[in-house]
Amino acid sequence: MNLADTLDLVMFAVTCAVLLSGFPVAFTLGGVALIFALIGLWFGIFDFGYLLALPQRIFGTMTNEALVAVPLFVFMGTMLERSKVAEELLENMSRLFGSLRGGLGISVTIVGALLAASTGIVGATVVTMGLLALPTMLRRGYDPALASGSIAAAGTLGQIIPPSIILVLLGDVLANAYSSAQLKMGIFTPDTMSVGDLFAGAIIPGFVLVGLYILYQSLRALFDPASSPAVPHEETDEPAGVIIRRTLSALFPPMILIVAVLGSILAGIATPTEAAAVGAVGATLLAGYRQLENKKPAIIAALALLGIIVLTSFADLRVARENLTGGEYLGIGVAFALCAAMSWGMALSLIRLYRRDILSSVMQSTARISSMVFVILIGAALFSLVFRGLGGDETVQAFLTFEETSLLYQIFGDMAPIVVVMFIMFILGFFLDFIEITFVVVPIVGPVLLALGFDPVWLGVMMAINLQTSFLTPPFGFALFYLRGVAPESVRTVQIYRGAIPFVIIQLLALVILALYPPLATWLPDLVFG
């Protein structure tokens, strides 16, 4: 094997080694790529034309409408974190389920799912629930490992339940890979896959995972009652009607936001980017509602926002058209009135949030996270170009092509390439962040797997669940770090790690279930988008 055959593999290995050293991701991807491009040019095995395509790649990234959803969803999640939705949900869910064995753990899982469907930010969810729920669970006699694992796992649901940042990024990467794979197959009118398809595909698997979490906690409470005791009856001695009414009151705002964002996507009213804008406005109004002394402006603005969404589904509100009917003029007039009401409520909410120093911190956090993502995207584009210029595509194609006589093919059949890729991603998750894996591994293996005929939505959801495990796998699971930072000193790090392991196994079980039954991911997108 000569240098031309191995330089791409050496480049991938060096990239992983530098990432493990803690060097910034974007500079690692771009810097290693440039070094190996120069080495390839020196030995005459790299075409400089690949580097000339980088400006176009960057321009395409910066003008990609789907990626505009990233800062909007980050803003939405950060604003909801500041609006104290999690505190109210946790408090009321704990009262509702606390009288059951394992009830507090189940409450944490349900709240994690609701926050995932309304924020999609893992770190904020884990920290919030770690501060609020972990001391309560420990005080009630919960096993520290079970309590820690439940909180860390519930926090990671933001990776798989839409709207999720990772689904936006994965959707964009896989959409490009899908088009590339079809062009290589000679299909010059390729099918497309959108972020909306991936959102729809992830909903059912996400809630299957929630069900598996709750099932594990229920079985643990059944067979090991001491690990998750019920809250004493005298501490929950409130009328059931009061508890239910208070819980519904806490559930109503985030549920409306979830319906507005996901419902507008699934109904075909809005693209994920437009729905992200709806979510950002809704989160601002919800935060303003909690800060304003007079609640009416925020309520009126929220109702106006819902009215615009409903009106959009029944009427064509585009004004730059000829031959508008009287009914269409009326619809456009109503839309303008609703926009004015929403703007009034938004203005008052923003002023109040600014005066409370909430808006500035949200904007800074959004800018910081979004900048990090887009700088990594630029580094990943350079890495991908150089890797392909060094023959990486052919290497991966050969690596994932199995003879029928090979052992892996005999055991797994046509699924052998998927098994290998999932295993590699799982192992990398012990050491690398989900963003690094998404931008380094997926662009390399995606076109090859899709060219083999695997469904892009199913593949994307499989990868998203696999990447979710990277938040829980020691030693570098970010959810474990977040929880360690807020957990009481009485909870040892080894207990946090031990508590996460059953939930990692559950995630792998969900991966197996999805592999055996792909319609869990493909049925809803087919039903909604055809």
Side-chain angles (χ1 to χ4, degrees):
M1 185 178 289
N2 57 36
L3 181 64
D5 296 327
T6 61
L7 199 56
D8 51 350
L9 298 177
V10 175
M11 174 184 167
F12 183 80
V14 169
T15 301
C16 291
V18 177
L19 287 172
L20 287 174
S21 71
F23 203 72
V25 179
F27 301 129
T28 295
L29 295 177
V32 171
L34 280 176
I35 291 170
F36 276 83
L38 293 174
I39 294 173
L41 286 170
W42 178 268
F43 288 101
I45 56 176
F46 179 74
D47 184 357
F48 186 75
Y50 281 95
L51 294 181
L52 296 179
L54 180 62
Q56 187 62 36
R57 284 287 190 95
I58 295 174
F59 181 78
T61 297
M62 294 298 107
T63 57
N64 189 334
E65 183 181 339
L67 294 178
V68 176
V70 172
L72 290 171
F73 278 135
V74 172
F75 178 90
M76 170 183 162
T78 309
M79 184 64 80
L80 281 176
E81 179 200 353
R82 304 292 196 276
S83 67
K84 310 299 182 185
V85 171
E87 287 90 329
E88 194 172 347
L89 280 174
L90 269 173
E91 180 183 349
N92 289 285
M93 283 291 179
S94 298
R95 287 198 180 100
L96 188 63
F97 292 100
S99 58
L100 302 173
R101 279 206 188 108
L104 291 178
I106 293 171
S107 300
V108 163
T109 300
I110 293 174
V111 171
L114 290 170
L115 292 177
S118 54
T119 66
I121 297 180
V122 171
T125 304
V126 173
V127 169
T128 301
M129 293 199 296
L131 287 169
L132 296 173
L134 186 55
T136 303
M137 297 174 81
L138 295 175
R139 193 167 60 249
R140 302 299 182 211
Y142 265 68
D143 175 57
L146 176 61
S148 301
S150 300
I151 290 171
T156 65
L157 290 171
Q159 288 292 96
I160 184 63
I161 297 178
S164 162
I165 304 297
I166 186 59
L167 291 178
V168 175
L169 300 176
L170 256 181
D172 182 67
V173 172
L174 284 175
N176 294 331
Y178 192 36
S179 298
S180 174
Q182 291 179 90
L183 290 173
K184 287 185 178 180
M185 295 164 64
I187 302 173
F188 297 106
T189 55
D191 294 330
T192 58
M193 187 203 81
S194 68
V195 174
D197 293 323
L198 202 53
F199 273 21
I203 290 174
I204 295 176
F207 285 102
V208 167
L209 192 57
V210 172
L212 291 174
Y213 285 176
I214 293 175
L215 178 62
Y216 166 70
Q217 289 165 334
S218 302
L219 292 175
R220 183 73 184 270
L222 179 64
F223 293 107
D224 184 13
S227 68
S228 45
V231 176
H233 180 70
E234 58 271 15
E235 296 185 25
T236 59
D237 194 18
E238 284 186 287
V242 173
I243 295 176
I244 292 173
R245 187 165 59 250
R246 192 183 294 143
T247 304
L248 291 176
S249 175
L251 275 173
F252 185 72
M255 287 301 298
I256 290 294
L257 193 60
I258 292 167
V259 170
V261 175
L262 292 183
S264 60
I265 295 173
L266 297 179
I269 300 172
T271 65
T273 302
E274 293 164 344
V278 171
V281 171
T284 303
L285 292 175
L286 180 55
Y289 172 82
R290 293 176 179 276
Q291 297 295 327
L292 289 168
E293 295 175 3
N294 181 7
K295 312 291 186 184
K296 287 183 180 180
I299 294 173
I300 292 172
L303 292 175
L305 176 62
L306 290 176
I308 292 171
I309 295 173
V310 173
L311 189 62
T312 303
S313 64
F314 291 105
D316 187 347
L317 301 179
R318 292 174 298 166
V319 295
R321 293 181 294 132
E322 297 180 358
N323 303 320
L324 291 171
T325 65
E328 289 172 333
Y329 274 116
L330 177 62
I332 291 170
V334 172
F336 272 116
L338 292 174
C339 286
M342 186 182 69
S343 300
W344 170 61
M346 274 290 291
L348 293 178
S349 297
L350 288 171
I351 291 170
R352 188 67 171 180
L353 293 170
Y354 176 77
R355 288 176 177 172
R356 293 289 181 91
D357 288 331
I358 294 174
L359 183 61
S360 58
S361 66
V362 170
M363 295 294 287
Q364 288 172 13
S365 179
T366 302
R368 186 165 54 250
I369 295 172
S370 301
S371 299
M372 176 196 71
V373 170
F374 281 91
V375 171
I376 292 174
L377 271 169
I378 293 171
L382 179 56
F383 179 89
S384 177
L385 286 170
V386 175
F387 186 80
R388 288 175 179 168
L390 295 174
D393 283 359
E394 292 78 9
T395 302
V396 173
Q397 178 81 45
F399 180 70
L400 294 179
T401 302
F402 295 91
E403 300 290 339
E404 293 186 5
T405 55
S406 66
L407 180 61
L408 276 175
Y409 188 88
Q410 290 178 357
I411 296 174
F412 298 107
D414 292 335
M415 290 290 290
I418 291 288
V419 172
V420 170
V421 170
M422 291 295 120
F423 178 75
I424 291 172
M425 291 177 67
F426 177 71
I427 297 301
L428 288 175
F430 280 80
F431 310 103
L432 301 180
D433 182 33
F434 75 96
I435 293 181
E436 298 159 10
I437 298 174
T438 300
F439 291 145
V440 174
V441 178
V442 178
I444 294 172
V445 302
V448 178
L449 293 176
L450 294 171
L452 293 174
F454 294 107
D455 185 90
V457 174
W458 172 79
L459 179 62
V461 177
M462 288 278 288
M463 288 180 168
I465 294 177
N466 199 338
L467 290 173
Q468 186 184 353
T469 65
S470 69
F471 273 85
L472 289 177
T473 46
F476 300 120
F478 276 79
L480 307 181
F481 282 147
Y482 294 139
L483 188 59
R484 175 66 278 173
V486 297
E489 292 183 3
S490 60
V491 179
R492 292 177 289 119
T493 302
V494 69
Q495 290 176 316
I496 296 177
Y497 285 179
R498 193 170 71 244
I501 291 173
F503 291 94
V504 172
I505 295 172
I506 290 171
Q507 289 171 345
L508 295 178
L509 175 62
L511 205 58
V512 172
I513 293 171
L514 183 59
L516 295 176
Y517 195 65
L520 285 172
T522 58
W523 174 76
L524 189 58
D526 288 342
L527 177 69
V528 173
F529 302 116

